[in-house]
Amino acid sequence: MSQHEPVIAIVGAGFGGLWAARALRGLMAKVVLIDRHNYHLFQPLLYQVAMAGLSPGDIAKTVREITRGQRNLEFRMAEVHGADLAEHRLDLSTGTLNYDYLILSVGSETNFFGLETVAEHAHGLKDITEAVGLRNHILSMFEQAAVEPDPEKRRAQLTFVVVGGGPTGVELSGAISELIRLVLVKDYPQLNFTDARVLLLEASDRVLAALPEPLRAATAETLWRKHVEVRFGAAVAGFDGQRVNLKGGEIIPAHTLIWCAGVRAEHLVDTLGLPQASQKRVRVEPTLQVPGHPEVLVIGDAAYLEENGQPLPMVAQVAMQQARLAAANIRHMLAGESLGSFHYHDLGTMATIGRNAAVALIGRLQFRGFLAWGMWLVVHILQLIGFRNRLLVLINWIWDYLFYERAVRLISEE
Ligand SMILES: Cc1cc2nc3c(=O)[nH]c(=O)nc-3n(C[C@H](O)[C@H](O)[C@H](O)COP(=O)(O)OP(=O)(O)OC[C@H]3O[C@@H](n4cnc5c(N)ncnc54)[C@H](O)[C@@H]3O)c2cc1C
C-alpha cells in the first residue's frame, strides 16, 4: 500500500464501526478498525446468554474472521484511551495512531444516574462478561436457596428485580420468569416455586414507551400472564445486594437487581472536548461530522442527532444506516464532492416477551402474540452474522421450544 494513502481510523467494531469498515471496502485508503474486544457482538441476543439459552460464541464472531478478505482493512485489538483531535492522533493501549479521517462508533454504557449503591451491587447487561456473570449469579441463587433453611432469606434469594421497562427490561424479565417456571422448576424439586418472584420496576406509567398504547397494554398483560409483577411508578433509590430501596421508602428483599434503566454514550467521548447533548451523546451535524472537525464523524449510540424534533433512538438500525452515510461522506471528502445528510429509515420496532409472545410495530401496522414472535425470530436469525451462528442459534431455539430446556445452565468461571 502506498504511503500517500489516507488513513481512516474507526473506533468500535459494533454495529456502526463494522458496517462503516465494510462500506469502505475497495477504497484506496488504509482503514484501521480498532476495538477493545477481538469480536463483534450481536447485543440484541445478549439477554439469552444471561438466561442460559445461548453460549457467548453463538452471538459473537471475531472481527478478523468477518473482515477477512477486505484488503484495505487492518484490525487492531486495543483500548482507545483518548484522542488529540488537533493533531489527528489516537492514544491506544498499544501505542498511538495518526489518522486522516476518524469514525467514532464507541456505543454506550450503562447509566446508573449517580446511584452509587446500585452501580456497586446491581447487574448490567452490556457485554459478554456481564451476561455470563448474570447467568452465574441467577443459577447460584437457586443453588443457595436449595439449601437455605431460613424461609425469608430463601425468598429474597429467589426474588429477581429488573429495573426499566424498555425493550431490554421487558425481554429480560419475561425470559427470567420462563427460565424459572419452565426449566429450573424441573432442576430443583425441593424448592417451592411460589417463593420465586420476578418484578419489573418502571418509574413511569408505561412499558415500551416508544410503542402505541395497544401494544404497550398487550406487553404489560403478557408479562403478568408470564408471572412477572409489573410495577409502575416504582423508582429505585438504592440496593445493598440484599434489599432494594424504592423512592418513597418501600423495601423489597431481593438478592438480585438487574439494571436496564438507562444508557449513556461511552465515557471516551467525555475526554474529547466535543459538544455533548442528553445521555452525553456527541452532537453531530446531519453529515455526521462534529463541529470544528470535519474529518471526525461520530455515529451510532454515541452520536446525538435529531429528526422531527426527536433524538434518534439508540438502536442498531440507526448505527448501521449512519455507518453507510459516514463511509459515503468520507469517499465524497476524498473526491472533493459535497456531502450527504442523514435521514433515518425506520424499519420498525419489536420486542419479545418470551415463548409465543412478542409485539412489533412495522410502519403503521401493529402485530402481537405468536405472529409477532415468529417475525422476531426470523429477523434476529437473519441479522446474526455468519451461517454457523445462525444455525447454532436456530438449533438451540428449536430444542428449547420443544423440550422446555436451556442449553447452557453452567455456573462457570467468569
Ligand atoms: C442488551 C441489549 C439489547 C439490545 N437490543 C436491541 C434490539 O433488539 N434492537 C436494536 O436495534 N438495538 C438493540 N440494542 C441496541 C444496539 O445494540 C445498539 O444501538 C448498537 O449496538 C449501537 O451500535 P454502536 O456501533 O453505536 O455501538 P456498539 O455496537 O455497542 O459498538 C461499540 C463498540 O465500541 C467498542 N469500544 C467502546 N469504547 C471503546 C474504547 N475506548 N476502545 C476500544 N473499543 C471501544 C466496544 O467494545 C464495542 O465493540 C440492544 C443493546 C443491548 C445492550
Side-chain angles (χ1 to χ4, degrees):
M1 198 174 283
S2 137
Q3 285 189 336
H4 305 294
E5 281 177 336
V7 174
I8 304 168
I10 303 176
V11 185
F15 284 106
L18 185 63
W19 262 253
R22 289 162 131 192
L24 290 166
R25 177 188 275 269
L27 185 68
M28 291 292 284
K30 178 175 171 178
V31 179
V32 184
L33 177 60
I34 306 147
D35 200 293
R36 59 164 72 105
H37 300 122
N38 76 332
Y39 53 81
H40 167 80
L41 173 66
F42 189 72
Q43 292 178 20
L45 291 182
L46 197 53
Y47 82 97
Q48 297 207 359
V49 172
M51 291 303 107
L54 296 173
S55 297
D58 299 343
I59 63 159
K61 198 170 160 99
T62 67
V63 179
R64 288 185 187 279
E65 194 183 343
I66 298 170
T67 59
R68 201 186 279 164
Q70 183 167 340
R71 293 177 57 187
N72 68 348
L73 186 140
E74 176 186 321
F75 174 68
R76 293 197 195 169
M77 181 175 146
E79 178 80 27
V80 177
H81 292 307
D84 186 332
L85 299 188
E87 296 291 327
H88 295 197
R89 196 176 55 236
L90 286 176
D91 174 17
L92 314 182
S93 53
T94 51
T96 57
L97 174 73
N98 286 86
Y99 60 82
D100 297 290
Y101 296 92
L102 172 64
I103 299 178
L104 283 174
S105 188
V106 289
S108 53
E109 61 186 36
T110 305
N111 187 358
F112 291 101
F113 301 100
L115 295 170
E116 282 175 21
T117 57
V118 178
E120 192 179 339
H121 298 286
H123 288 262
L125 190 65
K126 276 300 284 179
D127 56 29
I128 286 178
T129 310
E130 288 187 342
V132 172
L134 179 56
R135 180 190 78 199
N136 287 343
H137 173 81
I138 290 176
L139 297 172
S140 299
M141 285 299 105
F142 277 85
E143 289 300 329
Q144 290 176 26
V147 292
E148 176 56 56
D150 177 350
E152 258 181 47
K153 201 165 170 198
R154 194 167 58 238
R155 273 194 288 277
Q157 286 164 341
L158 296 180
T159 299
F160 302 91
V161 178
V162 179
V163 185
T168 305
V170 165
E171 294 189 343
L172 194 63
S173 54
I176 298 178
S177 190
E178 290 194 340
L179 173 70
I180 294 172
R181 284 170 206 286
L182 302 181
V183 184
L184 298 181
V185 70
K186 295 184 287 189
D187 288 355
Y188 298 91
Q190 66 276 51
L191 284 175
N192 176 357
F193 272 75
T194 56
D195 284 348
R197 292 172 74 196
V198 180
L199 291 92
L200 177 61
L201 306 184
E202 167 54 47
S204 76
D205 62 354
R206 55 192 59 184
V207 289
L208 301 181
L211 293 183
E213 209 284 322
L215 292 184
R216 296 200 305 263
T219 303
E221 192 199 308
T222 309
L223 284 168
W224 275 104
R225 245 191 307 117
K226 290 185 181 283
H227 305 276
V228 176
E229 299 172 38
V230 185
R231 303 262 305 262
F232 293 111
V236 170
F239 176 55
D240 65 1
Q242 316 238 315
R243 278 170 298 271
V244 181
N245 293 66
L246 300 189
K247 281 183 188 152
E250 187 186 344
I251 291 173
I252 303 171
H255 288 201
T256 309
L257 181 80
I258 308 162
W259 188 258
C260 308
V263 289
R264 48 145 297 171
E266 254 283 333
H267 62 273
L268 172 68
V269 301
D270 300 348
T271 66
L272 304 179
L274 294 171
Q276 288 169 279
S278 64
Q279 294 165 292
K280 300 278 185 185
R281 297 163 87 185
V282 177
R283 277 186 191 280
V284 293
E285 312 280 0
T287 56
L288 307 175
Q289 294 163 300
V290 298
H293 290 280
E295 74 287 355
V296 179
L297 296 88
V298 185
I299 61 175
D301 285 2
Y304 182 92
L305 187 64
E306 292 183 0
E307 200 157 291
N308 305 322
Q310 293 294 322
L312 289 166
M314 291 160 110
V315 294
Q317 269 302 325
V318 169
M320 292 190 284
Q321 292 176 27
Q322 289 185 337
R324 279 182 218 115
L325 179 70
N329 277 348
I330 288 181
R331 287 177 187 268
H332 290 318
M333 280 190 264
L334 285 167
E337 298 165 355
S338 55
L339 307 192
S341 294
F342 186 71
H343 297 290
Y344 179 42
H345 179 47
D346 188 352
L347 296 177
T349 307
M350 43 179 62
T352 175
I353 316 155
R355 196 180 171 83
N356 299 339
V359 286
L361 179 68
I362 315 287
R364 291 187 180 173
L365 297 177
Q366 300 180 18
F367 303 89
R368 65 182 82 171
F370 187 78
L371 179 61
W373 185 67
M375 290 162 59
W376 184 94
L377 294 180
V378 172
V379 165
H380 283 76
I381 282 285
L382 291 180
Q383 283 182 343
L384 266 172
I385 291 185
F387 179 72
R388 181 177 173 277
N389 285 16
R390 286 185 193 143
L391 192 65
L392 288 173
V393 169
L394 193 61
I395 291 169
N396 266 299
W397 283 354
I398 292 171
W399 190 271
D400 292 354
Y401 188 79
L402 293 178
F403 301 109
Y404 295 85
E405 285 295 349
R406 296 291 180 274
V408 205
R409 299 203 295 280
L410 312 177
I411 299 175
S412 62
E413 302 294 321
E414 281 176 47

